[in-house]
Amino acid sequence: MMETPSPRVFTIASDRPFLSVLADAVLEGFPRAEGGRPSLLELPRWTILLPTRRAVRELERVFFERSGGRGLLLPNIKPIGDIDELPWPAAEEANLQDTPPAISASGQLLALIDLIDDWALSNPQTRLAQDIRQAPHQAHALALSLSELLDGLETESVDMSRMPELYGLETARHREAILEFLDIARLRYPSRLDALKLLSPAALRSLVLRREARRLDETPQSAPVIAAGSTGSIPATRELLKAISRLPHGAVVLPGLDGHMDDASWEAVGPPHPQHALKQLLDSLPIDRRMVAPVPGGNGATRGALASELMRPAETSDSWRDAIATGIPAIAEAMTGVELIEARHVQEEAVIVALILRHCLETPGKTASLVTPDRQLARRVKAELRRWDIGIDDSGGEPLIRFAGASLLHLLIDAIDSGFAAEPLIALLRHDLCRFGKSPETARHLVSVIDLALLRNGQSVPHVGSLQEALRKQREQVLADSHRHMALRRIGPAEWEQAIVHAGLISQTLASCLQDEPATLAGYLDRLTAACMAMSGDMIWDGAAGEMLQQVLAALRTESGLLRSCDRGRAFAIVKHALMIAAVRQSSPRRFRLSVLCLREDRLMQPRLVVLAGLNEGVWPSLPDAGPWLNRPMRDILGLQQPERSIGQTAHDFIQAFGAPEVKLVWSRRRDDAPAIPSRWVLRHPGQHLRRHHEVRHHRH
């Protein structure tokens, strides 16, 4: 019987530049046991799996820098678990050619709405079903929430057949109704996917990762394989990491495993702790924490020890007093380059962050990143930087709904929803793309005439289909009444005629949006697209945002058959949601020295300066939310992780970024016109404990 090899697991400290250390180690032969620098022809045999595409691009750049700008055959660097691009090898080698494709996110949403309709018809006695039938657009919000639950269940590989066990709990009557509703997730949705010959995105990802893990177990690779930067929070990812760790030349490189923590604290690590996911991963391999060796060059310094104390579990926090009393010099050294900044409100916080980033550019070659979960704060910072014509790389992109063509469509939806009331109507007509074939200046001027004559005259707003007739009457009244507003009397005959013709085009286009409403999503999409095209022409499809809009609408039209019945409110909610979740990422050949990193990306990226902003409790970390469907006892029965796990994940992201050479911790005293408190990690800031320690000593003396 062959002996199972010990897992090959390594780590890079949080205060070391992860990708640079990894690249240097690979160029020295890591993880081959025999060592030796790989030749230029050997290096492409290495396979390196990273958590994100941005990390892949950054590691490629690091390798290029290490080559001195010369040509270099890179290792095979892939994002782990990317459904569109298998980690390796080709699909036929992984026996996935017969696997059904994944349903898209929008297709999943439409299928769930349709299933909710069916459930409401078959359960007319329940209050929820009655509400859905009276207001069909509510099914959209229910489907969104249900899709989040489904993704969580499938990601964590929860056995759906265990759901009937939840009926044994003593629950309120509304909980029993919820359990009946969840039959959609347990029975109806899987049956619908089987009929469509599709898989859910989370199920396909897990299938790809598990098949790859089995392939590696059955046919071990002779070439080096490295999985770096993943915490193994997904069960299928843990299986793949376990398979890689057993390879003769395999290696799993963990980001920031805490080697400073004492055993009592390690035993006390729970879901809210940054080491929780890594602890679960080590238990599943299984391997003792002390067996994890640092990658060559990956040993940490005093900042890592400080981070360990900063995140000490509450059960052993009584050791803080001794740690501070005996470690003041080490803490002071670790705090070099760390600064805590308190802002009065969010806008001031954005200005402060922008000034810090701008000042960074004063030093040639220096790089800086903003790390925050608050996308609104990130947009404010980017707006401040634009005032100085400073570019910043933001891989998160901006919602499609903020761009020209999509914003025109959004304004059209709002105007139709309001019955073309004055305010949303004029907002639509003043959009830059709403030109009806005229130049921007001419269109703006004619809309100003219509606005002044019909929408600001103190009278009721005419029906959108009779704007032309109403404008003619206004012209006659202005000519007959010398007491009318001087601005109206200054309008010449030619301007009146042009405005009347323009009003006719507006009426012809917009009135059709209220007539003979279709009963399908495709019908509404065709109507909205035709109206936007009449207003803007082909300009609605210009640029990257226009291409993205075209793709979003085409996908919705293709998948609209999944939803058999659709009223106006539901159709508009679906379209607006699609416009909000689609992100436009501006590509640029330039490499910016400033960047915005999402929490998952900051684990591996380490610029010279990191600004951790939005550090308010409830923002970073966010409040744990179990969702409306499953309470805590239900989650325990199903084996589903409790929501506090998200705190641990964001805490790990915080610690990884905290290891940068220079760190600014920024928070606001007020958010949303209400007092706010700093993040729990700011309250654990060592400077505060040092100050209290000195105050106690002074009081004793």
Side-chain angles (χ1 to χ4, degrees), residues 398-407 409 433 538-553 579 582-587:
E398 290 292 335
L400 175 61
I401 202 168
R402 293 176 172 268
F403 291 84
S407 66
L409 177 55
L433 295 185
D538 291 336
M539 291 184 297
I540 191 176
W541 315 122
D542 286 349
E547 293 178 6
M548 175 71 73
L549 176 61
Q550 200 165 22
Q551 293 171 9
V552 168
L553 295 180
L579 298 180
V584 178
R585 296 172 177 86
Q586 301 291 347
S587 59

Side-chain angles (χ1 to χ4, degrees), residues 666-678:
V666 192
W667 69 284
S668 297
R669 291 204 303 265
R670 296 186 68 84
R671 296 187 68 91
D672 301 325
D673 296 326
I677 60 174

Side-chain angles (χ1 to χ4, degrees), residues 376-640:
Q376 186 61 37
L377 174 61
R379 294 186 189 104
R380 292 189 181 198
V381 172
K382 289 162 62 177
E384 293 295 330
L385 291 173
R386 279 196 296 269
R387 294 171 53 197
W388 302 310
D389 195 25
I390 295 176
I392 185 169
D393 181 16
D394 182 8
S395 64
E398 290 292 335
L400 175 61
I401 202 168
R402 293 176 172 268
F403 291 84
S407 66
L408 177 68
L409 177 55
H410 183 210
L411 289 173
L412 175 62
I413 289 173
D414 286 346
I416 296 173
D417 255 347
S418 71
F420 292 105
E423 186 174 347
L425 175 60
I426 200 61
L428 171 65
L429 297 179
R430 289 192 180 279
H431 191 280
D432 287 343
L433 295 185
C434 188
R435 303 177 186 177
F436 290 95
K438 299 179 175 61
S439 68
E441 297 78 12
T442 301
R444 281 195 296 269
H445 179 68
L446 297 180
V447 168
S448 295
V449 173
I450 296 171
D451 183 20
L452 187 62
L454 297 181
L455 306 180
R456 297 177 184 268
N457 60 6
Q459 302 176 11
S460 59
V461 178
H463 186 270
V464 70
S466 59
L467 293 179
Q468 193 172 38
E469 294 78 8
L471 196 58
R472 283 199 182 98
K473 291 180 181 178
Q474 271 298 325
R475 181 183 61 176
E476 294 171 0
Q477 294 175 8
V478 168
L479 294 176
D481 186 357
S482 60
H483 297 290
R484 299 302 293 269
H485 198 284
M486 287 299 297
L488 289 173
R489 295 185 61 79
R490 291 194 188 102
I491 300 174
E495 291 176 289
W496 277 113
E497 287 299 328
Q498 291 176 1
I500 289 171
V501 173
H502 197 67
L505 293 174
I506 294 171
S507 292
Q508 181 181 356
T509 300
L510 300 185
S512 63
C513 295
L514 299 176
Q515 299 170 357
D516 302 324
E517 293 194 356
T520 63
L521 176 60
Y524 282 104
L525 290 171
D526 292 339
R527 175 168 290 187
L528 292 172
T529 303
C532 287
M533 290 284 290
M535 289 185 284
S536 69
D538 291 336
M539 291 184 297
I540 191 176
W541 315 122
D542 286 349
E547 293 178 6
M548 175 71 73
L549 176 61
Q550 200 165 22
Q551 293 171 9
V552 168
L553 295 180
L556 285 177
R557 189 176 286 104
T558 301
E559 295 157 345
S560 60
L562 297 172
L563 182 59
R564 288 167 290 183
S565 176
C566 187
D567 65 353
R568 186 173 74 183
R570 176 179 291 178
F572 287 178
I574 291 170
V575 174
K576 288 168 71 173
H577 175 72
L579 298 180
M580 285 188 285
I581 64 172
V584 178
R585 296 172 177 86
Q586 301 291 347
S587 59
S588 173
R590 294 176 54 195
R591 182 176 181 270
F592 294 102
R593 288 164 55 193
L594 305 180
S595 60
V596 179
L597 300 178
C598 70
L599 298 190
R600 192 164 150 228
E601 290 176 330
D602 79 314
R603 293 179 190 172
L604 310 187
M605 317 281 284
Q606 197 174 86
R608 176 70 188 175
L609 167 67
V610 171
V611 182
L612 304 177
L615 282 169
N616 285 96
E617 195 69 14
V619 178
W620 193 2
S622 60
L623 298 176
D625 182 13
W629 306 111
L630 301 175
N631 57 25
R632 292 178 181 276
M634 291 176 175
R635 297 175 78 92
D636 284 336
I637 288 178
L638 294 177
L640 195 61

Side-chain angles (χ1 to χ4, degrees), residues 18 27 38 97 124 212 227 242 259 300 346 351 375 391 424 436 439 441 450 463 504 532 561 609 656 659 668 670 679:
F18 190 96
L27 292 175
Q97 64 270 28
E212 190 60 38
K242 184 174 182 178
V346 176
V351 173
R375 288 300 304 172
F436 290 95
S439 68
E441 297 78 12
I450 296 171
H463 186 270
C532 287
L609 167 67
Q656 287 296 109
S668 297
R670 296 186 68 84
S679 167

Side-chain angles (χ1 to χ4, degrees), residues 280-295:
Q280 283 187 316
L281 176 59
L282 294 180
D283 289 343
S284 68
L285 289 177
I287 183 175
D288 187 83
R289 177 173 55 122
R290 296 180 181 86
M291 297 173 61
V292 178
V295 170

Side-chain angles (χ1 to χ4, degrees), residues 11-17 21 256-257 259-260 292-305 606:
T11 186
I12 296 175
S14 62
D15 51 2
R16 296 289 294 143
V21 170
L257 178 66
H260 303 279
V292 178
V295 170
N299 282 310
T302 54
R303 186 73 64 77
Q606 197 174 86

